[in-house]
Amino acid sequence: MNDLLPPESARWEWLEATVRQLMARYAYRNIRTPILEHTDLFVRGIGEVTDIVEKEMYSFEDRSDKHGQFEHLTMRPENTAGVVRAVVESNLLYDGGKRLYYMGPMFRREKPQRGRYRQFHQIGAEALGFSGPDVDAELILLAHALWKAIGLADVRLELNSLGQPHERALHRARLIAHLEQHADLLDEDGRRRLHSNPLRILDTKNPAMQAVVESAPKLIDFLGAESLAHFEGLQSILKANGIAYTINPRLVRGLDYYNLTVFEFVTDRLGSQGTVCAGGRYDDLIAQIGGKAAPAVGWAMGVERVLELLKEQGAALETPAPDVYAVLPDAATVPAALRTLEALRAAGVSVQMHAGTGTSPGSMKSQFKKADGSGARYALVFGAEEFARGQVTVKALRDGAGTQRLEALDALAAWAPTLQSRPQLN
Ligand code: ATP
Ligand code: MG
């Protein structure tokens, strides 16, 4: 679990702001659900025989208010189950489908390494109440637009279809027979899941098992006409929109709730933590969590991995800097000078004040050194004499460094915009 400090946190704010703008363009609305949920929600939703539920959840017993009994709670390892629970509880689909997005921390007890942390952050988009494949395509286009907006290169899209439960049952029998034939090559997880969740074995990251998994019967060969039509419908939309993809028959995803469409955006540049965004259709989950049956599809991206990849690509971090550094050589001017600084801020100018003037003002020289170090484009110098005359000196620190001018305090509205380098907040 990591602290996130400036200046690095600026990268996060920039990404989040970009995501918010983009979600608005696709008409996805923000949803925020609690970090704690009943453990049972994840066990039922994600599936008992999955990495997350078997070994990665932070769960604990909380003394309930009622009868001193214990409640089993878990810090959310993902957010689809929580979103679905909230949607069901508040009957959000009563008047039709909803497009939602979230951002926030998730928790999994994993072996920490680059791109794999115990508290990590996901940005997710979910479209509930639509059966696709048009909405599946919309979600993929949205992710693709995000890569473009943030300048992320080197990610490729992999697709698969998991069909429907009855199609998976046909495949399952053949898969088990194949895996049993090669039982000696399976690792401990593989042997344990052979009968409880053989599909998940295809998802293994163990290099020693790649050959067995490669030669296994492919689920796609067991899909019926309807599932195939859905899959082909998605592909034709992607093709018409110039979205490149490859079909990966081994893509099964680590959670149990998926059906039909599954997809991942992957990169080769982050080692075995190569999936930056993953998602798929989960048409049975809403009913499973107790709602009225409705189809749904969504994805979640790993913020740390996306930012890691951007850094790997050499994307520069724009260190945030104020527009103006206020140099205050005279303690007596501070109370009135602050009124000017407040007026500038209200006009949209970002101002960093030289603090500490009251006790140890610091020489002009040391204040200017701080002004330079702040990255500000201008120093605003509150010299006692000018200030008494109703004036302040504006000195350029970057472009045209050294040039300066006097400005009248009562004409602040006219010159404040010339100091401002960032867009106005509304
Ligand atoms: P992996 O196969 O890498 O373990 P996953 O299938 O468990 O990933 P999902 O549950 O699909 O991952 O989560 C969606 C995305 O969240 C992943 O593609 C990844 O980018 C990110 N993610 C998942 N677990 C972690 C983690 N422990 N640390 C950082 N990012 C993570
Ligand atoms: Mg995982």
Side-chain angles (χ1 to χ4, degrees):
M1 301 188 184
N2 299 305
D3 293 320
L4 186 59
L5 309 171
E8 193 54 33
S9 52
R11 233 188 252 274
W12 285 67
E13 291 193 302
W14 161 78
L15 177 66
E16 289 161 4
T18 309
V19 167
R20 287 202 179 90
Q21 278 180 13
L22 202 64
M23 291 295 177
R25 287 191 201 168
Y26 284 79
Y28 281 63
R29 307 293 177 223
N30 189 229
I31 181 168
R32 304 178 190 210
T33 61
I35 283 169
L36 290 180
E37 296 278 358
H38 283 114
T39 300
D40 182 54
L41 173 70
F42 301 116
V43 176
R44 279 189 301 152
I46 298 171
E48 226 154 332
V49 191
T50 56
D51 280 348
I52 294 179
V53 171
E54 280 183 337
K55 47 193 180 197
E56 295 175 356
M57 295 204 301
Y58 286 100
S59 302
F60 64 98
E61 289 188 334
D62 190 28
R63 191 184 292 277
S64 112
D65 298 336
K66 289 181 223 139
H67 326 299
Q69 282 169 345
F70 288 102
E71 286 189 291
H72 297 273
L73 302 183
T74 292
M75 293 170 76
R76 63 184 189 192
E78 57 96 54
N79 205 27
T80 299
V83 165
V84 168
R85 179 203 49 69
V87 162
V88 167
E89 249 177 58
S90 52
N91 196 22
L92 210 61
L93 301 184
Y94 81 99
D95 63 347
K98 291 288 174 298
R99 292 169 166 90
L100 304 171
Y101 81 93
Y102 59 82
M103 315 188 190
M106 309 293 157
F107 303 83
R108 298 183 192 179
R109 188 184 292 102
E110 302 216 55
K111 190 167 156 250
Q113 51 200 290
R114 185 185 180 203
R116 197 175 289 286
Y117 310 99
R118 292 184 164 187
Q119 174 175 334
F120 64 101
H121 298 77
Q122 286 185 338
I123 294 172
E126 317 277 1
L128 304 108
F130 307 101
S131 58
D134 50 357
V135 173
D136 307 28
E138 175 181 278
L139 277 158
I140 289 174
L141 290 168
L142 166 55
H144 190 264
L146 179 58
W147 311 146
K148 212 170 140 190
I150 63 175
L152 193 75
D154 294 329
V155 284
R156 51 172 205 282
L157 172 62
E158 296 192 348
L159 282 187
N160 195 18
S161 174
L162 298 182
Q164 300 294 11
H166 67 275
E167 293 156 346
R168 283 208 292 280
L170 294 174
H171 169 253
R172 182 190 157 103
R174 296 278 293 280
L175 178 62
I176 291 178
H178 169 84
L179 295 171
E180 273 174 341
Q181 261 179 11
H182 304 282
D184 51 322
L185 293 173
L186 301 182
D187 60 14
E188 199 193 310
D189 268 350
R191 278 195 296 276
R192 195 161 38 82
R193 289 173 179 178
L194 182 52
H195 293 279
S196 57
N197 199 343
L199 198 60
R200 189 85 325 115
I201 298 175
L202 300 181
D203 198 26
T204 179
K205 293 188 176 69
N206 182 351
M209 284 167 58
Q210 297 308 311
V212 189
V213 152
E214 211 67 63
S215 57
K218 294 185 173 39
L219 180 48
I220 197 138
D221 297 328
F222 294 78
L223 299 192
E226 231 175 282
S227 294
L228 283 175
H230 191 281
F231 196 30
E232 276 152 20
L234 169 62
Q235 291 178 59
S236 74
I237 299 176
L238 295 180
K239 278 185 197 137
N241 285 276
I243 304 287
Y245 61 87
T246 54
I247 292 176
N248 175 1
R250 285 189 42 201
L251 182 62
V252 294
R253 307 285 307 109
L255 302 85
D256 264 1
Y257 49 59
Y258 289 109
N259 69 313
L260 293 173
T261 310
V262 286
F263 58 88
E264 289 189 353
F265 286 92
V266 294
T267 175
D268 298 322
R269 298 178 70 159
L270 295 176
S272 60
Q273 277 61 252
T275 306
V276 294
C277 176
R281 189 156 271 289
Y282 51 93
D283 293 335
D284 296 326
L285 186 62
I286 297 178
Q288 206 172 305
I289 283 173
K292 183 164 164 265
V297 55
W299 54 246
M301 58 162 258
V303 176
E304 284 83 357
R305 290 187 195 178
V306 165
L307 291 178
E308 196 81 38
L309 188 53
L310 276 177
K311 251 196 257 179
E312 175 85 22
Q313 278 174 212
L317 169 64
E318 263 198 53
T319 320
D323 295 323
V324 164
Y325 191 96
V327 173
L328 298 155
D330 182 355
T333 61
V334 167
L338 269 167
R339 285 213 305 274
T340 301
L341 302 188
E342 287 295 284
L344 286 171
R345 288 165 177 149
V349 181
S350 149
V351 180
Q352 182 172 332
M353 168 184 80
H354 184 86
T357 304
T359 47
S360 55
S363 64
M364 283 282 257
K365 195 174 160 209
S366 76
Q367 289 203 32
F368 269 110
K369 214 168 153 194
K370 285 243 165 67
D372 253 332
S374 75
R377 293 165 65 215
Y378 300 97
L380 216 59
V381 190
F382 289 86
E385 275 174 39
E386 296 105 71
F387 197 57
R389 286 197 309 266
Q391 290 179 316
V392 65
T393 303
V394 178
K395 186 171 175 187
L397 298 173
R398 299 278 175 276
D399 301 338
T403 58
Q404 58 181 63
R405 62 183 202 255
L406 272 174
E407 294 286 7
L409 293 171
D410 59 9
L412 182 142
W415 52 267
T418 66
L419 307 179
Q420 191 191 327
S421 62
R422 64 204 65 243
Q424 281 274 19
L425 293 178
N426 287 318

